[in-house]
């Protein structure tokens, strides 16, 4: 029986009960609250032929962008193969998107999502999955463009419009359009103060503009809206908060937030490990002793054993092994990524373009060969978007490069890079400290 959801999007199969569960699951995904897989499983248990429910379930695993999700996606695709004849055209296109992702054709996946949204711009699931895919692929233009193309189909104030504004705000921030980003993030938060993605977009603006004190205050005063116990995105917004404190020189506060909120336990999901490593590596560059924290994170990466699936994940695993002093694990990781880079898929291209030079730079940093580290990073620092993440996340490459220049006593490189950074963030305590150290070489 063909039905439509609250946005007028056609489903091949469904009833009032399954659609109500779908809407709850979609809202959980939209606002990162609770477990959307557990919710959609309620619908699939009573209606195994609910095509869009099975598609939704597959996308939840895709959104983790890690190798362990492939088995779940393929299992879901096998179930969808049985249902394909009854699916509508849009649903069959979604099935093809899932197949593309599983096969490593991430560019093809995003193009299919473009087409789905051109035909059906009110498909909120496609919009959010496409936005995340653009993020994982470092496509800042489509982070903004995908939402800009769909937004005219949404009415001001209707459910979903604020979510689209929050996504647009993040795309605008990544494109350097900070004033319009801040405006649209504010509109999204006025629509729903618990929109943690919109809040994170505004945190990014403050990060990029060097508004550390304001950013820390903004995040902490609004924590009740985004740091609920069941908010699965809270760890990332706490990471932003910790960075604001760290760049003001408050190491103790940053570590306190790390222990309480960024990495409070033995995490095994790649998306959470990324932020743990990213914060610890910044402390590592500053020569801070973080105790046993590196060993804990490195243990998580060794247990996962993922290498060569997604270049951005690989960089963070290499940081963990390097800082923890696990040279054997680092060499094994690098060799596995070098082998994976010989394939013909989207990630292999990312590895060859950016991933491998970064991994080799980190290995050199671990050997205290700081000049060699700088040589690896200097040519790729402005093309690092090719392996995903945000400007704020990829700043770790610029920080490592400057630190390598300082430690190798390359005065010219250290001074020019610190001057560049000061031009972008002239009031940032961290930027000022780099310049002072460069002048002392």
């Amino acid at each position: 029986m063909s039905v439509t959801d609250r946005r007028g999007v056609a489903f091949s199969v469904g009833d009032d009960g399954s659609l109500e569960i779908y809407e709850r699951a979609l809202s959980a995904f939209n606002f990162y609250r609770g477990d959307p897989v557990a919710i959609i499983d309620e619908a699939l248990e009573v209606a195994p032929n609910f095509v869009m429910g099975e598609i939704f379930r597959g996308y939840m695993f895709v959104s983790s962008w890690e190798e362990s999700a492939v088995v779940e996606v393929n299992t879901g695709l096998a179930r969808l193969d049985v249902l394909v004849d009854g699916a509508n055209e849009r649903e069959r296109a979604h099935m093809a998107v899932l197949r593309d992702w599983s096969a490593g054709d991430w560019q093809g996946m995003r193009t299919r999502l473009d087409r789905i949204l051109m035909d059906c711009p009110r498909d909120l699931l496609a919009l959010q999955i496409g936005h995340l895919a653009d993020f994982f692929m470092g496509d800042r233009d489509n982070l903004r463009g995908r939402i800009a193309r769909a937004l005219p189909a949404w009415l001001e104030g209707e459910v979903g419009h604020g979510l689209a504004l929050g996504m647009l705000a993040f795309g605008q921030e990544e494109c350097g359009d900070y004033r319009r980003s801040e405006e649209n993030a504010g509109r999204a938060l006025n629509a729903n103060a618990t929109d943690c993605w919109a809040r994170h977009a505004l945190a990014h603006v403050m990060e990029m503009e060097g508004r550390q004190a304001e950013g820390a205050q903004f995040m902490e005063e609004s924590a009740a809206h985004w740091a609920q116990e069941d908010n699965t995105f809270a760890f990332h917004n706490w990471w932003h908060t910790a960075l604001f404190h760290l760049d003001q020189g408050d190491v103790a506060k940053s570590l306190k937030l790390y222990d309480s909120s960024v990495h409070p336990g033995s995490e095994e999901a790649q998306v959470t490990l990324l932020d743990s490593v990213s914060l610890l590596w910044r402390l590592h560059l500053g020569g801070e002793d973080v105790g046993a924290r590196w060993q804990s994170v490195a243990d998580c990466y060794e247990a996962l054993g993922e290498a060569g699936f997604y270049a951005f994940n690989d960089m963070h695993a290499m940081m963990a092994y390097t800082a923890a002093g696990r040279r054997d694990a680092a060499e094994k990781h690098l060799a596995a990524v070098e082998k994976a880079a010989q394939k013909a898929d989207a990630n292999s291209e990312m590895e060859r373009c950016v991933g491998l030079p970064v991994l080799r730079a980190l290995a050199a940093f671990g050997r205290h060969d700081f000049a060699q580290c700088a040589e690896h990073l200097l040519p790729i620092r402005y093309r690092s978007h090719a392996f995903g993440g945000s400007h704020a996340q990829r700043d770790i490459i610029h920080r490592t490069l400057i630190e390598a220049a300082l430690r190798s006593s390359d005065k010219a490189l250290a001074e020019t890079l610190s001057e560049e950074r000061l031009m972008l963030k002239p009031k940032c305590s961290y930027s000022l400290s780099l310049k002072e150290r460069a002048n002392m070489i």
Side-chain angles (χ1 to χ4, degrees):
M1 155 175 154
S2 180
V3 294
T4 59
D5 69 6
R6 293 176 185 173
R7 292 153 295 280
V9 178
F11 286 26
S12 63
V13 177
D15 56 27
D16 289 345
S18 58
L19 283 179
E20 187 277 329
I21 296 172
Y22 177 86
E23 293 293 347
R24 283 198 289 119
L26 181 60
S27 180
F29 177 49
N30 295 155
F31 295 106
Y32 298 90
R33 298 290 301 274
D35 185 350
V37 173
I39 296 172
I40 203 65
D41 280 349
E42 295 175 28
L44 292 170
E45 185 175 350
V46 297
N49 64 339
F50 184 28
V51 175
M52 205 59 215
E54 193 66 66
I55 289 168
F56 178 93
R57 191 179 196 279
Y59 276 140
M60 294 306 96
F61 290 97
V62 166
S63 67
S64 71
W65 220 271
E66 61 180 67
E67 191 171 24
S68 64
V70 175
V71 172
E72 287 283 356
V73 173
N74 287 341
T75 300
L77 282 168
R79 290 192 290 265
L80 284 166
D81 285 342
V82 179
L83 305 174
V84 66
D85 289 343
N88 64 33
E89 184 177 354
R90 182 186 64 89
E91 291 167 338
R92 289 194 294 272
H94 274 298
M95 295 179 199
V97 171
L98 290 170
R99 291 190 191 94
D100 284 342
W101 184 84
S102 176
D105 184 6
W106 299 340
Q107 302 290 9
M109 167 207 183
R110 296 191 305 125
T111 299
R112 287 188 197 275
L113 284 166
D114 279 342
R115 284 294 185 180
I116 290 172
L117 286 162
M118 288 172 188
D119 292 334
C120 190
R122 292 173 62 82
D123 184 338
L124 186 55
L125 176 62
L127 196 63
Q128 189 168 350
I129 290 294
H131 189 61
L132 289 175
D134 294 333
F135 165 76
F136 283 118
M137 296 295 289
D139 187 348
R140 69 173 193 173
D141 292 315
N142 218 29
L143 271 170
R144 177 179 60 181
R146 185 185 298 278
I147 312 304
R149 292 190 295 273
L151 198 58
W154 294 82
L155 298 176
E156 182 81 33
E158 72 171 314
V159 176
H161 181 258
L163 288 162
L165 286 174
M167 288 185 271
L168 178 63
F170 182 55
Q172 289 171 325
E173 176 276 320
E174 288 296 291
C175 289
D177 191 354
Y178 300 134
R179 295 289 66 76
R180 285 198 289 182
S181 172
E182 189 160 358
E183 176 189 349
N184 285 321
R187 291 170 65 195
L189 291 171
N190 285 336
N192 191 326
T194 66
D195 187 341
C196 55
W197 189 261
R199 195 168 300 278
H200 129 277
L202 188 44
H204 272 269
V205 171
M206 294 178 180
E207 168 70 25
M208 296 306 294
E209 293 191 321
R211 295 156 58 185
Q212 279 82 12
E214 180 186 357
Q217 182 178 3
F218 167 70
M219 296 304 288
E220 289 171 340
E221 289 182 350
S222 64
H225 293 301
W226 56 263
Q228 305 93 340
E229 187 175 345
D230 66 342
N231 192 307
T232 58
F233 195 67
F235 73 93
H236 185 69
N237 278 331
W238 280 124
W239 173 79
H240 276 287
T241 310
L243 292 193
F244 287 136
H245 285 290
L246 183 60
D247 277 357
Q248 295 178 86
D250 194 341
V251 172
K253 179 69 171 179
S254 298
L255 281 173
K256 183 178 179 180
L257 288 174
Y258 177 91
D259 291 334
S260 67
S261 307
V262 178
H263 190 90
S266 182
E267 290 291 346
E268 293 184 355
Q270 293 276 6
V271 290
T272 54
L273 282 172
L274 293 178
D275 285 348
S276 300
V277 169
S278 183
L279 179 54
L280 289 181
W281 187 262
R282 283 165 167 80
L283 290 159
H284 182 65
L285 294 178
E288 301 293 342
D289 181 1
V290 299
R293 294 177 181 89
W294 272 123
Q295 301 305 326
S296 173
V297 172
D299 285 344
C300 291
Y301 275 109
E302 290 214 62
L304 285 169
E306 180 182 303
F309 179 77
Y310 177 42
F312 199 63
N313 289 350
D314 290 332
M315 174 181 73
H316 289 79
M318 192 67 166
M319 287 177 179
Y321 296 144
T322 299
R326 300 189 186 184
R327 184 165 294 185
D328 288 346
E331 290 176 356
K332 180 181 177 182
H333 183 66
L334 177 57
V337 174
E338 287 175 335
K339 182 177 180 180
Q342 298 171 20
K343 299 177 183 177
D345 58 21
N347 184 65
S348 299
E349 184 177 347
M350 295 159 76
E351 299 282 16
R352 292 190 294 269
C353 180
V354 179
L356 283 171
V358 171
L359 263 59
R360 289 165 182 152
L362 293 171
F365 195 97
R367 297 191 304 268
H368 292 188
D369 189 348
F370 301 117
Q372 187 62 41
C373 174
E375 287 302 308
H376 284 301
L377 292 181
L378 192 60
I380 60 92
R381 70 195 191 283
Y382 281 125
R383 68 168 190 257
S384 61
H385 62 87
F387 76 163
S390 66
H391 290 304
Q393 289 174 308
R394 293 188 302 269
D395 187 42
I396 203 78
I397 294 172
H398 296 270
R399 289 171 179 249
T400 304
L401 173 58
I402 296 176
E403 189 61 35
L406 289 165
R407 295 192 189 190
S408 63
S409 298
D410 189 334
K411 186 175 181 64
L413 183 58
E415 284 189 334
T416 53
L417 291 177
S418 60
E419 288 285 5
E420 176 187 38
R421 191 172 189 92
L422 269 175
M423 183 176 290
L424 297 173
K425 298 181 179 182
K427 296 181 181 179
C428 175
S429 299
Y430 171 71
S431 301
L432 290 166
S433 70
L434 293 176
K435 177 60 177 173
E436 290 174 4
R437 289 174 62 197
N439 289 341
M440 293 174 64
I441 295 176

